[in-house]
Amino acid sequence: MTELQTVDLPTTIPKHKKSLLSEVAARTAGKSNIEMCIQCGTCGGSCPSAADMDHTPRAIFALLKAGVRDEALRSNTPWMCVSCYYCTVRCPQDIHITDVMYTLKNIAVEEKIYTDSTAPDFSKTFINMVENYGRSFEVGLAGIHNLKHFIGRLPGMTPMVIGMLTKKGMPITPPKRIKGMAQLKKILKRAKELEAV
Amino acid sequence: MSDYIFYPGCAMESSARAYDISLKAISKTLGIGIKDVDDWNCCGATEYLSISATPAYALIARNLALASRQVNGSNTVMASCSACYLNLTKADHNMAVDPKFGIKINQALEAGGLSYQPGALEIKHILDIMVNDIGLEKIKSKVKRPLEGLRVAPYLGCMVPRPDYASRFSDAEQPVELDMLLESLGAEVVDFPLRTACCGGHMTQISPDTAFDLINRLVKAADDQQADLMVTACPMCQMNLDAFQGEMNHHFKTNFKMPILFFTQLVGLAFGYEASELGFGLELVSAKSALSKLGMKAPESDSAAKVKKPPKGELPMPAPLPKMPRSAEKEATQ
């Protein structure tokens, strides 16, 4: 872990230079309240996957506040977030922690600086299907993803896979495209342009 | 008869068909009219939000825009999947509290000739509709087969109760709505403090050990309370606890056999429907034992849908020697 050298509070940063904290706040939909963190640690204490994170959410907020960009963005913390929102509802400062985690993932994907590609690849495979059919395709997604990232796990998964296809009768062919596929593509194209602004 | 605009979400046509089948059945008894959002698209689950916020919200908002065109009397959108419910709520909420963001999402929608005015729709989860709109008294009056003696662990998961936007109907951590509903069906609701703990979400695909740990905690807690089954209101929770229970058992060398059902399936049983009309048999951990407690049989499709063993003769193995009756053996040697 990089040692924290200086802690630059947003007020001490020259106006022309956007702080990491305000960058993350600006990119988070709704009100993030991220600048309100008092480092109490309620988030990490409430997190069901904290044990598998490089940094607890509290430590991530300290890094963001201190402007330690690289370490914050390379951390596996946002990728280990299970989106359960325990931290969000327990935060005494009303910080939308789960949404901040989404923003950190967005920046890491954009700048390709994540350390482990398992989670970003899963998300990308998922959205690739949504962008092509307008619907998700669970069997195809699990198949592609596990062949790429968990090939050794497949023998142990076989009974489950057989159950999914026979007992549960999950479709093995892609879903029918939505009628407004062209419309959805236009919307997403415009949204991507707006995201880049 | 109240009408609802229904956003089913992708899982209802795939891994959560039992939820869809049982919902459609009980809605007849309850007199609810259900009209799908015409040409709805996937809400993006937790995946699109991880990649890029603006397209992720635009994807969700297309559904809101389409649903708002269908408003006719009722402006309530009913969602069954908790991730879909949260995403629809979240997009509506964030577009309202952050007007600049709302404008941006509408600019994207405009490219497809659509628009959405935040607040135009009321987005509700089925459980909310059942407990607060329809009411427990009415539900109780429809019960023909009380679920007496059935011990049920009520498992709601994360995204129905959290985050606690103003429009949320339940407590963020210990909601009681599902318990009350199950009790009104005559079921015995076990003490289940993990009712809003996480099932692992997509972690079964990202970090399986993390997921197995969370699945184990939940199933063990229900088993400790001698629950006959767990009920959920979420396709993701159902899939994780049901489909991955075997792999989790293997990982921890345990042998849990906890059936995981949708709460609508139990409502249907109490309303007098047969198990075969409610999507029973689609679960991987069989609910047979729980059904037999109610004096009911699992539907035929349960055994029929199991992996069929090919006839012995077709197996690429040496054929076993035919066992002859002793008398025939004697005759042959003579």
Side-chain angles (χ1 to χ4, degrees):
Chain A
M1 215 198 227
T2 321
E3 223 174 276
L4 301 187
Q5 310 259 314
T6 52
V7 178
D8 283 338
L9 291 173
T11 45
T12 64
I13 291 173
K15 271 187 182 159
H16 63 273
K17 201 180 157 197
K18 220 180 181 183
S19 75
L20 177 59
L21 204 64
S22 54
E23 179 192 346
V24 172
R27 291 191 59 155
T28 305
K31 287 196 171 105
S32 75
N33 296 329
I34 186 175
E35 66 288 350
M36 302 295 284
C37 178
I38 52 170
Q39 291 287 301
C40 70
T42 303
C43 41
S46 308
C47 179
S49 48
D52 298 312
M53 289 174 168
D54 296 340
H55 307 86
T56 61
R58 182 202 58 76
I60 288 287
F61 290 121
L63 291 171
L64 293 178
K65 208 165 212 175
V68 188
R69 188 185 170 89
D70 209 51
E71 189 169 343
L73 292 174
R74 276 183 205 281
S75 173
N76 78 346
T77 300
W79 297 106
M80 291 305 293
C81 169
V82 288
S83 296
C84 75
Y85 295 85
Y86 261 126
C87 54
T88 305
V89 298
R90 287 180 178 176
C91 176
Q93 296 294 84
D94 201 19
I95 299 172
H96 289 217
I97 301 171
T98 311
D99 287 337
V100 171
M101 293 299 161
Y102 280 124
T103 303
L104 295 176
K105 287 187 261 195
N106 286 188
I107 302 174
V109 166
E110 208 173 273
E111 300 181 9
K112 295 190 179 69
I113 50 172
Y114 41 81
T115 323
D116 180 351
S117 66
T118 315
D121 274 358
F122 183 73
S123 297
K124 284 178 192 167
T125 310
F126 185 102
I127 71 168
N128 188 28
M129 283 162 177
V130 174
E131 287 182 351
N132 276 299
Y133 299 104
R135 300 275 168 93
S136 73
F137 176 32
E138 292 173 290
V139 173
L141 169 67
I144 293 173
H145 182 73
N146 284 288
L147 281 174
K148 191 169 176 192
H149 287 282
F150 294 103
I151 195 141
R153 190 183 161 199
L154 290 178
M157 282 173 95
T158 310
M160 190 265 283
V161 174
I162 292 173
M164 295 292 238
L165 300 182
T166 57
K167 211 171 174 192
K168 237 181 169 55
M170 282 171 70
I172 50 164
T173 47
K176 221 178 134 204
R177 275 194 177 81
I178 59 166
K179 284 178 276 170
M181 200 60 232
Q183 178 193 49
L184 177 61
K185 281 190 171 169
K186 275 183 206 160
I187 293 172
L188 293 177
K189 185 171 174 271
R190 182 85 187 98
K192 284 174 191 175
E193 289 160 10
L194 287 161
E195 175 72 33
V197 173
Chain B
M1 179 154 165
S2 9
D3 282 317
Y4 292 95
I5 305 167
F6 183 43
Y7 180 80
C10 305
M12 295 298 263
E13 296 179 344
S14 171
S15 60
R17 282 191 298 135
Y19 200 0
D20 195 48
I21 295 166
S22 52
L23 170 68
K24 299 278 159 68
I26 64 170
S27 63
K28 276 183 235 152
T29 309
L30 293 171
I32 308 174
I34 292 177
K35 177 103 181 52
D36 284 10
V37 174
D38 188 32
D39 204 39
W40 57 272
N41 57 259
C42 172
C43 77
T46 52
E47 306 313 321
Y48 217 141
L49 285 166
S50 301
I51 300 293
S52 190
T54 312
Y57 278 99
L59 182 81
I60 304 167
R62 177 176 177 270
N63 295 310
L64 296 172
L66 292 175
S68 68
R69 284 179 167 186
Q70 277 170 244
V71 170
N72 184 14
S74 165
N75 69 337
T76 306
V77 174
M78 173 166 89
S80 47
C81 165
S82 51
C84 301
Y85 166 62
L86 171 61
N87 275 351
L88 296 173
T89 312
K90 194 175 165 127
D92 183 54
H93 176 84
N94 283 339
M95 284 174 79
V97 298
D98 187 351
K100 259 169 80 181
F101 178 73
I103 291 168
K104 192 151 107 174
I105 297 306
N106 264 313
Q107 280 172 340
L109 288 176
E110 213 184 307
L114 295 173
S115 69
Y116 177 67
Q117 175 68 40
L121 296 168
E122 190 179 27
I123 299 140
K124 287 190 165 189
H125 189 267
I126 298 178
L127 183 62
D128 183 12
I129 288 174
M130 288 184 70
V131 175
N132 297 316
D133 290 7
I134 296 165
L136 295 176
E137 280 311 306
K138 184 169 178 187
I139 289 171
K140 222 172 185 170
S141 74
K142 304 279 181 192
V143 173
K144 286 185 188 155
R145 182 194 288 132
L147 307 179
E148 273 158 21
L150 198 64
R151 291 176 64 82
V152 185
Y155 176 52
L156 202 54
C158 312
M159 292 183 184
V160 172
R162 289 189 296 273
D164 50 356
Y165 295 133
S167 56
R168 289 292 165 118
F169 65 95
S170 63
D171 184 80
E173 297 198 30
Q174 292 296 343
V176 292
E177 287 77 6
L178 186 55
D179 304 46
M180 294 193 310
L181 175 65
L182 293 166
E183 272 166 11
S184 75
L185 306 175
E188 200 180 319
V189 179
V190 306
D191 191 15
F192 194 63
L194 298 185
R195 55 168 68 77
T196 66
C198 177
C199 73
H202 71 184
M203 281 301 152
T204 57
Q205 307 298 310
I206 309 293
S207 171
D209 291 1
T210 310
F212 295 152
D213 194 34
L214 297 173
I215 294 168
N216 179 268
R217 277 205 306 164
L218 288 161
V219 175
K220 185 178 180 301
D223 191 71
D224 285 349
Q225 293 295 330
Q226 285 148 11
D228 296 312
L229 56 96
M230 285 170 82
V231 292
T232 77
C234 169
M236 181 95 252
C237 296
Q238 201 280 338
M239 174 135 94
N240 276 3
L241 298 183
D242 179 40
F244 291 92
Q245 202 176 122
E247 227 187 327
M248 177 281 284
N249 273 329
H250 184 73
H251 183 80
F252 286 105
K253 297 185 174 59
T254 50
N255 191 26
F256 293 112
K257 284 197 178 80
M258 181 62 65
I260 317 291
L261 299 171
F262 292 103
F263 78 100
T264 43
Q265 291 179 284
L266 286 204
V267 175
L269 284 183
F271 283 0
Y273 289 97
E274 292 310 313
S276 57
E277 296 171 281
L278 299 165
F280 277 83
L282 292 170
E283 70 283 353
L284 295 197
V285 179
S286 173
K288 246 182 218 168
S289 57
L291 283 173
S292 69
K293 251 195 150 178
L294 295 172
M296 294 180 74
K297 272 189 176 174
E300 278 302 305
S301 64
D302 180 22
S303 49
K306 270 188 186 163
V307 190
K308 272 189 198 153
K309 278 186 189 163
K312 279 186 179 170
E314 287 178 17
L315 284 174
M317 289 181 191
L321 291 167
K323 218 178 182 181
M324 275 198 254
R326 289 242 153 160
S327 56
E329 215 171 294
K330 260 186 187 171
E331 276 171 37
T333 49
Q334 273 170 3

